[in-house]
Each structure stands twice: as structure tokens, then as C-alpha cells.
Amino acid sequence: MARTQLYLVRHGEQDPASNHARDGGLSQLGREQADRLGRRLRTVPFSAIHHSPLARAAQTADVAAGHLPNVPRHDCEFLMDRTPVPSSGHRDSYPDRWLAWLDSVPDEERDADAAALQAAVEHFGATGEEDRYELLITHNFVIGWFVRHVLDAPVWRWIGLNQANCAITVVQWDADRPPALVSFNDTGHL
């Protein structure tokens, strides 16, 4: 029975001097978190490291990859920082208390009806002929969407699933059963 395990990691702490700019890099603490992450994961037989193209995720991958020699890595649009927002026809699937906040999400982060995030789940969440372990370094809401998906929760339940910087969440697909949440927001290495 083939298995896919995805290790979902939020990037390290962003440099506060960047004023939370969309493409701000890591702080010194963020680099230390990424180093601890790499040390924690060095024995996992990863086939690939995928990361968001944004600087904080790319820098996290650079540091962690120092502990994962010979594991190929690349930036991946599937892991871009996105916020699922309901289209006008699906606003009733979200609690009213969240709608004003969702309406304020900047255009460059909006993912209408989570189309891009669902494509990411379909892309990564599949089994093949052999076991596969992949490291995905991404952003809080992306991880929240994956967790919401594997738990088969309502579409809005990604809200409030907050990840610590460089925490590890593991989701798993097996060939003959529904996906499962193995661990959530593990910070033992930090």
C-alpha cells in the first residue's frame, strides 16, 4: 500500500524591519527556527522540498536544506501565500462574523473559493506506486486549508488553524483510505 506524507511547515519568523511586506525575508530568529527545523527533519527520506516563491519561505528552505543534502528543492506556485475567500455566490458558506475581514484581503492574496488551494491539495495529495515524503514550506492559511481538507471540515474551518513559525504539520494519504492528519503544529524542535 503506497503512502504519501506531506510535511507542511510555515516559514520562519519574518524580519520585523520589513514591516510585514509581502516579500520580506527572515529575521535572525527565523533563521534559527529554520536551522532547528532542518536538524529535526534530517532523517526523513524526503524526495523533494517545495517552497513558496516568497522570500521568507525560500530562505527557510535554504537554511533547512543545509541539513537535507541531496534533496532537490524548488519554488512552487502551489504553495504561494493565499487566503481563501468566498465568491459572491458562496458567501453563505462562511459565518457572517468573518465576511468583513475576508472582504479586506488584498487582491494579490485572494483565492476565490479556494480554487488554487484545492489545486494544491490535488497536486500533492495523491499516492503513487511507492511511498513518498515531501517537505512543503509555505504559509499559515495554505496549511490551514490542507488540514481542513484532510479533516473534511466545512470550507471556512481553515480560519483559526494557526501555525507557529517552523512548526511541523503532517498529513498523509494512503492508497486505500481517506487522508489523515498525523500531527498538527508540532513545535518540539523549537
Side-chain angles (χ1 to χ4, degrees):
M1 167 173 65
R3 166 177 296 159
T4 295
Q5 277 195 345
L6 303 178
Y7 286 68
L8 302 164
V9 173
R10 184 180 184 187
H11 57 79
E13 180 188 74
Q14 188 171 355
D15 186 349
S18 71
N19 286 331
H20 300 287
R22 181 158 170 78
D23 204 22
L26 293 179
S27 68
Q28 181 57 40
L29 175 59
R31 285 186 274 289
E32 292 169 13
Q33 292 167 333
D35 183 66
R36 289 178 181 192
L37 171 72
R39 284 187 274 145
R40 168 78 180 275
L41 296 177
R42 68 179 171 237
T43 61
V44 179
F46 290 118
S47 59
I49 302 169
H50 312 274
H51 61 83
S52 162
L54 296 179
R56 58 194 181 272
Q59 291 172 7
T60 301
D62 287 345
V63 174
H67 298 280
L68 303 166
N70 305 317
V71 178
R73 65 185 169 84
H74 66 278
D75 65 18
C76 178
E77 283 294 321
F78 282 117
L79 301 176
M80 191 64 169
D81 193 6
R82 303 180 196 285
T83 304
V85 295
S87 63
S88 59
H90 292 102
R91 289 175 69 84
D92 61 343
S93 62
Y94 278 74
D96 289 340
R97 70 182 180 271
W98 295 110
L99 295 176
W101 176 75
L102 290 164
D103 290 343
S104 72
V105 171
D107 288 342
E108 65 272 9
E109 293 178 21
R110 298 176 74 78
D111 182 10
D113 297 327
L117 287 171
Q118 196 54 42
V121 168
E122 291 169 13
H123 176 78
F124 288 110
T127 58
E129 296 296 316
E130 298 179 9
D131 289 351
R132 190 176 95 234
Y133 303 85
E134 297 191 2
L135 175 57
L136 284 60
I137 299 175
T138 185
H139 306 276
N140 190 49
F141 296 160
V142 176
I143 298 168
W145 186 263
F146 270 83
V147 171
R148 183 227 58 85
H149 175 84
V150 300
L151 295 177
D152 199 23
V155 294
W156 63 273
R157 287 303 292 145
W158 59 269
I159 298 172
L161 293 176
N162 295 315
Q163 303 292 304
N165 294 110
C166 285
I168 302 166
T169 292
V170 180
V171 292
Q172 178 173 297
W173 276 259
D174 288 297
D176 62 346
R177 63 182 77 158
L181 180 63
V182 176
S183 68
F184 177 75
N185 203 33
D186 177 356
T187 59
H189 54 291
L190 299 174

